């Protein structure tokens, strides 16, 4: 199934306010059953406040060949946008699940997961801020990880620095089993 859907929230520009190496942890790669474009990826984040877009591994780097079917998605605890307003933890994603693969324009399509690969890797925490919202993600500290930026569209995570700009999708926290609910919640 490769059905196109439109996201309800558009991307907003956010400024990187903090980056730190946090040591080794479980990192998840999602291998899809279809190829992705270089500016397509999945929305992931540490909290329900919003998501950064981890891009497909379409480009060769000094240490990795291009793998246009893969997204290096970050730490196992991340929220991932499955479809429309539904989320899951990366730890819950299984082969056969449909995930929302998003383009830089905000258009998305549902693509099945072919494989989930979890390995111990060095991780880094990236925090970005829009006008009123702080959004963070924990990604592998490697040259294969790219996030959606504004100019350029592909920002290599290990080269980001405070003051750089990326694009994010802002959300409102409050979920139960991946479904949005109205509740009072604090997430950091």
């Amino acid at each position: 199934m490769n059905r196109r859907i439109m996201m309800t929230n558009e991307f907003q520009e956010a400024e990187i306010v903090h980056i730190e190496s946090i040591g080794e942890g479980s990192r998840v790669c999602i291998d899809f059953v279809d190829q992705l474009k270089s500016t397509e990826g999945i929305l992931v984040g540490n909290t329900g406040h919003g998501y950064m877009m981890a891009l497909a591994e379409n480009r060769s780097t000094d240490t990795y060949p291009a793998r246009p079917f893969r997204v290096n998605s970050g730490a196992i605890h991340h929220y991932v946008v499955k479809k429309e307003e539904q989320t899951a933890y990366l730890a819950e994603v299984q082969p056969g699940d449909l995930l929302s693969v998003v383009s830089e324009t905000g258009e998305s399509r549902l693509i099945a997961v072919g494989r989930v690969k979890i390995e111990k890797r060095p991780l880094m925490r990236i925090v970005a801020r829009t006008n009123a919202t702080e959004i963070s993600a924990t990604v592998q500290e490697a040259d294969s990880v790219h996030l959606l930026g504004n100019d350029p569209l592909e920002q290599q995570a290990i080269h980001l620095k405070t003051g750089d700009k990326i694009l994010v999708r802002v959300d409102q926290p409050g979920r139960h089993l991946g479904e949005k609910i109205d509740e009072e919640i604090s997430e950091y």
Side-chain angles (χ1 to χ4, degrees), residues 173-174 181-186:
I181 61 171
D182 188 20
E183 70 174 333
E184 188 173 317
I185 184 171
S186 295

Side-chain angles (χ1 to χ4, degrees), residues 44-51 78-79 125 134-136 173 187-188:
V44 295
N46 287 329
T47 72
H49 289 285
Y51 315 99
H78 268 170
Y79 287 126
R125 185 169 189 271
E134 191 171 276
I135 295 169
S136 65
E187 279 190 302
Y188 305 98

Side-chain angles (χ1 to χ4, degrees), residues 29-34 69 93-99 111-117:
C29 279
I30 303 291
D31 291 349
F32 288 96
V33 299
D34 198 3
F69 55 86
V93 175
Q94 297 292 312
D97 286 354
L98 294 175
L99 292 184
I111 302 178
V113 173
R115 176 172 77 147
V116 177
K117 185 170 85 161

Side-chain angles (χ1 to χ4, degrees), residues 64-137:
Y64 293 93
R67 293 186 174 111
F69 55 86
R70 174 174 292 164
V71 177
N72 189 333
S73 310
I76 197 167
H77 72 276
H78 268 170
Y79 287 126
V80 61
V81 176
K82 284 186 78 170
K83 53 187 171 184
E84 304 203 12
E85 298 298 323
Q86 187 180 17
T87 63
Y89 294 112
L90 281 178
E92 298 171 337
V93 175
Q94 297 292 312
D97 286 354
L98 294 175
L99 292 184
S100 185
V101 172
V102 184
S103 75
E104 77 282 3
T105 64
E107 186 176 327
S108 64
R109 57 190 175 127
L110 294 175
I111 302 178
V113 173
R115 176 172 77 147
V116 177
K117 185 170 85 161
I118 302 171
E119 299 169 302
K120 296 287 186 188
R121 293 291 186 263
L123 299 173
M124 58 191 281
R125 185 169 189 271
I126 300 170
V127 181
R129 187 172 292 132
T130 64
N131 292 333
T133 306
E134 191 171 276
I135 295 169
S136 65

Side-chain angles (χ1 to χ4, degrees), residues 143-160:
D143 63 0
S144 63
V145 179
H146 289 75
L147 301 175
L148 182 65
N150 196 11
D151 186 23
L153 286 175
E154 304 169 29
Q155 296 280 353
Q156 197 171 33
I158 60 171
H159 293 304
L160 286 171

Side-chain angles (χ1 to χ4, degrees), residues 19-38:
I19 299 173
E20 69 178 313
S21 296
I22 61 170
E24 192 174 86
S26 295
R27 178 273 282 136
V28 179
C29 279
I30 303 291
D31 291 349
F32 288 96
V33 299
D34 198 3
Q35 294 188 54
L36 282 64
K37 297 176 185 163
S38 63

